Amino acid sequence: MSFNAGVVGASGYTGAELLRLLAGHGDIDVSVVTADSNAGKQVADIFPSLAGAYAGTELVPFSAEAVAGLDIVFFALPHGESQRFVPLVIDQVAHVVDLAADFRLPADSYAEWYGHEHTAPAFIDRFAFGLPELFRTEIETAQHVAAPGCYPTASSLALAPLLADGLVEPTGITVSAVSGVSGRGRGLATPGLFSEANENVVAYGLLHHRHTAEIEFALSHVAGRAVQVLFTPHLVPMTRGIHSTCVATPAVGGLSTASLLARYRDYYADEAFVFVLDEPPATKSVLASNAVQLTVRFDERTNSVLALGVIDNLTKGASGQALQAANMLLGLPEAEGLSAVGVVP
Amino acid sequence: MSFNAGVVGASGYTGAELLRLLAGHGDIDVSVVTADSNAGKQVADIFPSLAGAYAGTELVPFSAEAVAGLDIVFFALPHGESQRFVPLVIDQVAHVVDLAADFRLPADSYAEWYGHEHTAPAFIDRFAFGLPELFRTEIETAQHVAAPGCYPTASSLALAPLLADGLVEPTGITVSAVSGVSGRGRGLATPGLFSEANENVVAYGLLHHRHTAEIEFALSHVAGRAVQVLFTPHLVPMTRGIHSTCVATPAVGGLSTASLLARYRDYYADEAFVFVLDEPPATKSVLASNAVQLTVRFDERTNSVLALGVIDNLTKGASGQALQAANMLLGLPEAEGLSAVGVVP
Amino acid sequence: MSFNAGVVGASGYTGAELLRLLAGHGDIDVSVVTADSNAGKQVADIFPSLAGAYAGTELVPFSAEAVAGLDIVFFALPHGESQRFVPLVIDQVAHVVDLAADFRLPADSYAEWYGHEHTAPAFIDRFAFGLPELFRTEIETAQHVAAPGCYPTASSLALAPLLADGLVEPTGITVSAVSGVSGRGRGLATPGLFSEANENVVAYGLLHHRHTAEIEFALSHVAGRAVQVLFTPHLVPMTRGIHSTCVATPAVGGLSTASLLARYRDYYADEAFVFVLDEPPATKSVLASNAVQLTVRFDERTNSVLALGVIDNLTKGASGQALQAANMLLGLPEAEGLSAVGVVP
Amino acid sequence: MSFNAGVVGASGYTGAELLRLLAGHGDIDVSVVTADSNAGKQVADIFPSLAGAYAGTELVPFSAEAVAGLDIVFFALPHGESQRFVPLVIDQVAHVVDLAADFRLPADSYAEWYGHEHTAPAFIDRFAFGLPELFRTEIETAQHVAAPGCYPTASSLALAPLLADGLVEPTGITVSAVSGVSGRGRGLATPGLFSEANENVVAYGLLHHRHTAEIEFALSHVAGRAVQVLFTPHLVPMTRGIHSTCVATPAVGGLSTASLLARYRDYYADEAFVFVLDEPPATKSVLASNAVQLTVRFDERTNSVLALGVIDNLTKGASGQALQAANMLLGLPEAEGLSAVGVVP
């Protein structure tokens, strides 16, 4: 059987990535694709890469009518817009998967980190936090999903086994992560220009990057108590990829790299997309795939635990994870339409 | 039903790309993977990107026994090695697809462009030139296929409609093409280092690049008479992609860009992987896909025809094309396991 | 002695490059730096790279008064703006060097290639075409200079020795060139984004790119008769650099690669910035320098001459060349403040 | 007056960078350039970028005789070779500046981090640790200098003001740093290939990277007591640049970002190459320059201090710093021949 899907906001990168993935999905048909400023154009006009799968598909303006009745609607809008538009359609479609930050956090946390009140707080509870490996039960029992951000996905999965078992302290955790430039989206701004971003590494969002809240939310859920993280993101000159370097302080004695690796392998034993490696993971290994690759070390010298994780920010960090959650909402195999194999080289 | 395949030479980039593509192919099982210097290791040790599909698959040393009886064997060895090894197994397997340059050209042409005699000339005739769009009949009636090079694929497809119809002169054609660095392969050499190739464009193989012979071979086949090309390749700082810029002199009057675009669309109307665009094609649009994107212009001012073509050098320019041909040899749908959608951004 | 200079339009890339070069020039002091939208900020706010040389230098709005009386004023504005502003100040300063396209071409040629009439045609004759190696006499006797574009610089210097001596036909010349993305400038547009330009090659301005007119202008000057070129530019994923690949048809017999190389070395024997190499030149070798590197080949097989040239588009292709011309206007050593050594790796 | 210099090991990247910088130095002449495997070739054969400054300079094999009597000899050999060759010449030249790791650390620390005994321990004390901003007195009173590594330079300068004043704890410090690929040098190895390093971020040297010892050595010197650091380096897809992200725990109360920034500005007030910015520093801003750019933050939420530093790994992180120290040894102005302006874009 086949489900009808809508993609709202298809002229951005997460929208394009959704369309790329859905082109290879056997049980979901893309019925409606919206893009306000580009409405009237064809998908292949905006992304010639999609010509092979969406010949003739026209972008229509978003409206509740346009998507009403669909089995699932993906919102791939800039952050802040979903809280305006989701309420208009949420009761007219079977499932919503939101890729923005709008429905990931509790209203008070949202207000604290985003600096303004949420405009549709009553809807937040209807969304599960869409990180399947850590919130599978929640997603399975939810009707709608808010897919988490790219940095939170990589960082939370890298640290979760440590916190789930109380192996490290819940405070004093540092996360230094780097992202490919596509994480900035397709909007026009000087730092996103090739001539600015190429041959350049620069940190941003110091101390207060909003993804901190999601990392702490996910890890607190896993730990069963409040987790606090100092998160420092950086832009690096590549298009896709997140690499998260996490350091935590042991809360128990007797740790070793071997025992931690074993613990990680056990923790993720049933996961289709998580791979625990002996060697440091490379972002390139997961390019264009939904895979997560992790490793972990215990440093006796400084009494620290070092955990590393990589994902593709647009796939596992956005559209792939959204599709993984959508499969769950629709009762399809969780991995359908998703590859765990990266494009290398 | 399912066919058993072997991949000979899996520690190089075309081998890795074959394994990536075959991981998503429903009717071909990878039974044997060889790699001499890396024999004994696992596929995922060499390419962690493949961990999600080849867990536990071990690389074995090449031998005739190792591949005997397989339905199809892909040779992804460095140029020159196939003529040593193919004769040992060609009669013990149903089909061979060679990705090297060894069986693409007639023996005399091979000797002229490669500077030495072919060591297995008697086997050359058993291979069809594996460019399906231009040699479909030959492939369909062949038992074995020699997949053409990356530059010849992009350049021949960009120029073929012009020469098939006698619209341009068969001499005085210039092809200026650029390639991503993966076209150099995975061998160690200074020009392949990141610090040398990054932020750098340099031409190489001036006047005598061996792919000239394949371009001329393919286009002469299409034109029905000898075609001569001055081909200048360049390395550019990207991993994948070929862009071919071709200029030819009209042989007939009355040309226009509109009529040429129409002619191209007609010529490739039945092709699953060829897309004729109004706008200049971008290599990124075909990244990791088997697609070819083309456009064409008539310049009245200089009385020239300009044809542009892009492919991914490792997919349509190597392993994807090899799989496309393999599908034909095995009687499978030509596009099975191959995507026409590029990874963008 | 020391001259006072103004830089008009310092928030773009050619302005920044001028400031970088002038920081190391012993006889020119930067007295005035203008940048309308960024006026009031400091140079180091816009370009922290310049903090070491322009601490405290404030950007002021452009006005005739601001630059009146200066020894030399560099206009680094977007194309089209110089013809508005240069007339306001040209008689109040000793010398103007314009980096835009506004005063490079005769008025009729400008109108033809730019699609609109020049708004200050009376001023064009007061500017020499600022390519010192080919227009030295004109620059030495001029008061003002219009520095040529990046593609015309690389392409004209690559072809000039052939046309100066009548060695090739003046028609049927093809130039296929690639540029780093900084050639697009610092303006915001989707194709300039890292995520669009990275891992991508795409042609643009097919048949009608405006630099065609400058290449033809410069080469016609050298040849003493009309030269016609089909010019195809491409964007490649690097920040700086131009590589120009030129093919022409011999007009005389008896050519050889050796004789052509010797001819090139002789033609440029007195030039400080032109280097004729035996091997293909690499854009990286001239990075951030004012050098031009060239090579040339005769192909007997196709009866063609192949000429290759590389420059840094922002240095020799813009601000370095502007400074080279400024030195000439001011009676300073032509190479002062300019390096012929590239930043490698 | 002019000093005669030798560059030992000029076919690697630090050698090439030294030659680039020395080409613009008014008081040092390069008299001897050695390169064993490339001996007999010309400098411009290996690095065409240097053709403009070293026309005709031939590479000679290294020998004590070749450099005897020189005023200064730079050793730009792979780590481990200097301890073999420096003893042969150190008493026959006025000054040695070693760019390798051989004479940076005390013999016991060297043995601990490098895994084998130092073969010329008696010579170590004759070298000052060549980080002028932190070891100026030592350099001024030394005859020879061991220039520190790239990561230690960026990381130590980013953290020094905190430790000099006892503002942070000497333990529990984490340094997560990224380097451009040129930091690997010019040797051939698969991870250095463009197709491996491009679009890729990967950590390496987990827990035990040898630069840890230098960071701890420099900071312990500054702090006056033992400092311990967990250092995690990563390779990112750019050619040049180091970005160091450091987190430490306050040892005193009452910190604020404003007071820390003021402290940093005061600490480095007399330094020509250190710039303290309000905004996060970008590696690109220091490209090809000897500048260091820093910022610092106090995070009240997690009670942490975050310090960021950037350098060009080949200039301030190697050859530029070596030249800065050489100027000091020779009694020249410390900044001579060195630029504080980066190549942007």
Side-chain angles (χ1 to χ4, degrees), chain D residues 138-263:
Chain D
E138 287 74 9
I139 297 170
E140 284 170 349
T141 57
Q143 193 176 354
H144 308 295
V145 163
C150 48
Y151 287 122
T153 297
S155 306
S156 302
L157 293 174
L159 285 163
L162 301 172
L163 287 155
D165 291 355
L167 302 181
V168 300
E169 298 291 346
T171 58
I173 299 172
T174 64
V175 175
S176 178
V178 304
S179 173
V181 184
S182 66
R184 288 186 58 88
R186 207 180 188 207
L188 297 178
T190 304
L193 291 177
F194 185 92
S195 301
E196 305 283 321
N198 189 39
E199 291 291 290
N200 196 16
V201 173
V202 63
Y204 62 103
L206 304 188
L207 312 185
H208 305 299
H209 191 281
R210 293 158 169 184
H211 280 179
T212 306
E214 293 179 37
I215 300 172
E216 295 184 349
F217 175 82
L219 291 175
S220 298
H221 169 81
V222 166
R225 56 178 176 159
V227 173
Q228 199 182 52
V229 169
L230 175 59
F231 168 58
T232 309
H234 309 71
L235 219 58
V236 295
M238 61 186 185
T239 304
R240 291 174 174 233
I242 296 272
H243 186 292
S244 191
T245 299
C246 314
V247 179
T249 306
V252 299
L255 295 181
S256 70
T257 293
S259 68
L260 288 173
L261 283 168
R263 181 68 196 107

